[in-house]
Amino acid sequence: MERKKSFIKRYWLPLVLFIIALLLPALIPSFWVHVFTEILILGLFAIAFNLIFGYMGQLSFGQAAYYGIGAYTTGLLMVKANWPLIATLPVSMITAGIGALILGFFCVRLRGVYFSILTIAFGQLVFFIIFQWYSFTGGDNGLQGINPPDWLFSAVPYYYFTLIVVTIASIIIYFITESPFGYTMRAIRDNTERTEFIGINVQRYMLINFIISGMFCGLAGALWGPFNRSVAPDLCGWQHSGTPVFMAVMGGPHHFLGPMIGSVIFTFLNAFVTGFTEYWPLVSGIVIIFVVMLMPGGVFGVIKEKGYFKAKEPVSNGTNPVDKGRD
Amino acid sequence: MEFTFFFSQFMSGLTYGMMLFLVASGFSLIFGVMNILNFAHATLWLIGAYLCFTFWSLMQSYDIALWLSIPLAAVTTGAIGWICEVVLIKRLYKRELHEQLLITYAMALIFGDLIKITWGPTDKLIVRPPIIQKPVHLFGAPIDSYFIFVIFIGFAVAVGLWWFLKFTKYGHIVKAAVFSREMVNALGIPIPRIYTWVFTLGIFIAGLAGGIQSAIGSITLGMDMSTIIQAFCVVVIGGFGSLTGTLVGSLIVGEVFSFAILYWPDGAMVLIFAITAAILVIRPWGLFGTPLRA
């Protein structure tokens, strides 16, 4: 029945958002174009993270590692080998994917909170390697001078470039979530045991999903380097790993665009707060506590509760899947 | 010559392992009993270290300043932990994993910044009292005399926790609560109060560890994160919720770290992660843990 709805009816929200995003640079000053570029990049990061969290039901607290691998791949290729930006993007996805394959191999053996612990630990492992490998990554100095090509150098062209890449990536991720593979993920989330009983190799599927998520996190990171003109090890640190988690929780992990909405709120807040204080972590920590305490389910959750908006994909049984298997 | 060198390296590894044990034991206790992964545990440990520095600098003209500051720091940190439990953690028992983790992550962010605001970005160093300034010689090897104290405290806390869990009434309640909190609750024992005190005890040990750490070397911002990650590795290696496992895991990590740093300084952390990953493949529940419930 769902399939018969017209295209416009099904996809009005992303279409409206896309059109707004297309028109934005004409309406706002260039500082805010920068902020919106950041929103798109971090939004892609959060959407890719949500493949693991919202769709597979496991909480990865170390996705910044793959984001960082992507960012460093692009940075190193552009600075040390003079590659063009566009050619570095697929390479970044591949390196991040390989990183996710190696570390995910261990992570998918665990579930629930143990999965989270291991992803945190491995995330920090990547951070330490990048931090200490001075000769290759520049250590805590990071890499400077990652300049995008001339035609992308100013804010507006880079914004459109990011918009195109992020839109294409989001559409691909959307099709993955709507494919049989995506529904296998939901089955694993809702009942891992039963999924195993019908003959699905759960660990292998989880690993594949982990790799896909890592690849798109890597792509987001790859967009970040040239946008920021530099990369630093902080990109892979634990603080940055929490960002997509919070974005997904704030926007609502059970809607495909929820993490992007979370990114809009979070990044706006960041741009606003860092304008007058350097203690952004303090402020964001307080905001996180308030959001988690007062609006579980995120923005989409609140809207759904009030009945303004019918989410396309209600979560199957009302309980959160991440918690399955504890107690 | 070869042996004395080996022995002093072994002792510094033992010290490092004991420091890790003090952090990881509280972390593991809180996780085992309350099922809450305290991301901010090492940040509270660092607060303990900074508090100890502050108490010490207030009394530094006296020789006993350090010995008074350590317990004071532990008690103050424990009090901070108690406040966190009552104000925040208490509301999280029935919440989902990602919410609990986000809250403790937020606590780590907030406390990290509060440390920066309160003590500033410069490193802090405690001048040791004369009694522990000179090394002692054991088997001909010069050993930092403070290390002996650290190792002693580590073993004392290990034995104390073991005794508490094994022989006291409250220890039995705590162990029963790990097994089945509904049943314990049904017997009329107030679980929330038990949880509050378990959390406070865990943070108290973290504060004690912080206080002890402050006299080992200089205290710097950001120390907390490398410590919490090593604590994660310790509980993965030793097994979740096992006190013996935490002790053995800490000692393994400490010794590996201490010897690896001689031959491959940059790779010490990587080696620890390699061990963690290997343990996970061979025994996913850790050396002393019980197999995970599905």
Side-chain angles (χ1 to χ4, degrees), chain A residues 162-240:
Chain A
T162 310
L163 181 63
I164 292 165
V165 175
V166 170
T167 308
I168 295 172
S170 304
I171 291 172
I172 295 172
I173 298 176
Y174 181 74
F175 276 113
I176 291 171
T177 62
E178 291 298 302
S179 69
F181 177 81
Y183 278 89
T184 311
M185 282 304 123
R186 291 177 180 78
I188 291 173
R189 175 190 72 189
D190 293 339
N191 196 329
T192 313
E193 253 175 24
R194 224 181 266 178
T195 316
E196 208 144 21
F197 285 156
I198 58 173
I200 286 169
N201 187 337
V202 168
Q203 262 186 27
R204 188 190 299 160
Y205 270 82
M206 282 173 71
L207 181 57
I208 293 171
N209 194 40
F210 200 87
I211 295 169
I212 294 172
S213 168
M215 286 171 76
F216 283 101
C217 289
L219 179 63
L223 289 169
W224 176 267
F227 165 67
N228 199 38
R229 311 288 196 256
S230 66
V231 290
D234 280 358
L235 289 180
C236 339
W238 63 279
Q239 289 196 350
H240 208 241

Side-chain angles (χ1 to χ4, degrees), chain B residues 208-244:
Chain B
L208 180 70
I212 293 170
Q213 173 72 45
S214 65
I216 289 185
S218 60
I219 318 162
T220 51
L221 287 174
M223 272 166 98
D224 49 339
M225 271 307 132
S226 60
T227 304
I228 192 81
I229 298 306
Q230 287 171 43
F232 284 171
C233 290
V234 163
V235 291
V236 171
I237 292 173
F240 297 96
S242 155
L243 185 65
T244 328

Side-chain angles (χ1 to χ4, degrees), chain B:
Chain B
M1 178 64 202
E2 191 58 38
F3 171 77
T4 53
F5 175 71
F6 197 82
F7 183 72
S8 69
Q9 209 60 32
F10 171 79
M11 289 301 278
S12 87
L14 196 60
T15 313
Y16 192 79
M18 278 307 174
M19 285 308 306
L20 261 181
F21 171 73
L22 289 176
V23 180
S25 59
F27 174 77
S28 172
L29 183 73
I30 290 169
F31 178 70
V33 175
M34 302 164 69
N35 220 341
I36 281 181
L37 188 68
N38 186 12
F39 215 123
H41 201 81
T43 315
L44 286 158
W45 163 79
L46 191 56
I47 285 188
Y50 274 103
L51 280 172
C52 186
F53 169 79
T54 302
F55 289 130
W56 171 82
S57 47
L58 290 175
M59 306 185 280
Q60 54 180 306
S61 46
Y62 305 100
D63 271 357
I64 53 160
L66 180 65
W67 314 114
L68 275 178
S69 306
I70 292 174
L72 271 176
V75 170
T76 321
T77 315
I80 295 172
W82 183 82
I83 293 169
C84 288
E85 215 287 336
V86 172
V87 174
L88 267 182
I89 309 285
K90 209 174 239 329
R91 293 161 217 277
L92 290 174
Y93 298 156
K94 294 215 168 75
R95 289 301 197 80
E96 286 144 13
L97 165 66
H98 68 269
E99 294 175 319
Q100 297 176 343
L101 203 50
L102 268 176
I103 292 288
T104 57
Y105 164 80
M107 277 165 56
L109 290 176
I110 292 172
F111 283 131
D113 255 9
L114 285 180
I115 289 176
K116 213 190 307 173
I117 292 172
T118 316
W119 285 283
T122 51
D123 295 358
K124 300 282 181 272
L125 189 67
I126 284 183
V127 181
R128 292 183 181 182
I131 184 169
I132 52 167
Q133 272 173 0
K134 287 214 182 78
V136 289
H137 288 267
L138 274 182
F139 304 114
I143 309 289
D144 189 331
S145 47
Y146 190 60
F147 283 9
I148 311 285
F149 172 73
V150 175
I151 293 166
F152 172 75
I153 294 284
F155 271 112
V157 168
V159 170
L161 274 176
W162 172 78
W163 174 81
F164 168 73
L165 291 172
K166 184 121 185 163
F167 293 112
T168 63
K169 182 185 157 207
Y170 288 102
H172 292 169
I173 293 174
V174 165
K175 272 194 343 199
V178 176
F179 198 70
S180 166
R181 63 186 93 164
E182 286 82 10
M183 196 61 215
V184 174
N185 216 354
L187 289 171
I189 293 159
I191 285 285
R193 203 180 301 161
I194 299 290
Y195 279 11
T196 304
W197 288 112
V198 165
F199 192 84
T200 311
L201 175 66
I203 302 301
F204 170 82
I205 300 174
L208 180 70
I212 293 170
Q213 173 72 45
S214 65
I216 289 185
S218 60
I219 318 162
T220 51
L221 287 174
M223 272 166 98
D224 49 339
M225 271 307 132
S226 60
T227 304
I228 192 81
I229 298 306
Q230 287 171 43
F232 284 171
C233 290
V234 163
V235 291
V236 171
I237 292 173
F240 297 96
S242 155
L243 185 65
T244 328
T246 310
L247 183 60
V248 174
S250 308
L251 296 182
I252 290 175
V253 171
E255 292 298 348
V256 167
F257 206 85
S258 166
F259 282 100
I261 223 151
L262 287 177
Y263 302 105
W264 186 30
D266 293 341
M269 271 310 280
V270 178
L271 200 60
I272 287 164
F273 278 102
I275 294 172
T276 311
I279 297 260
L280 268 172
V281 174
I282 305 162
R283 265 178 87 90
W285 50 89
L287 292 177
F288 290 86
T290 43
L292 307 181
R293 285 166 288 173

Side-chain angles (χ1 to χ4, degrees), chain A residues 4 24 58 68 72 88 90 108 146 149 184 208 239 245 251 261 270 274 294 308:
Chain A
K4 280 181 190 155
L24 267 176
Q58 298 295 328
Y72 268 89
T88 65
V108 298
I146 309 170
T184 311
I208 293 171
Q239 289 196 350
V245 182
I261 304 298
N270 179 322
T274 45
L294 301 179
Y308 300 134

Side-chain angles (χ1 to χ4, degrees), chain A residues 278-287, chain B residues 106 109-111 113-114 117:
Chain A
E278 59 171 309
Y279 297 112
W280 162 244
L282 178 69
V283 178
S284 73
I286 293 168
V287 172
Chain B
L109 290 176
I110 292 172
F111 283 131
D113 255 9
L114 285 180
I117 292 172

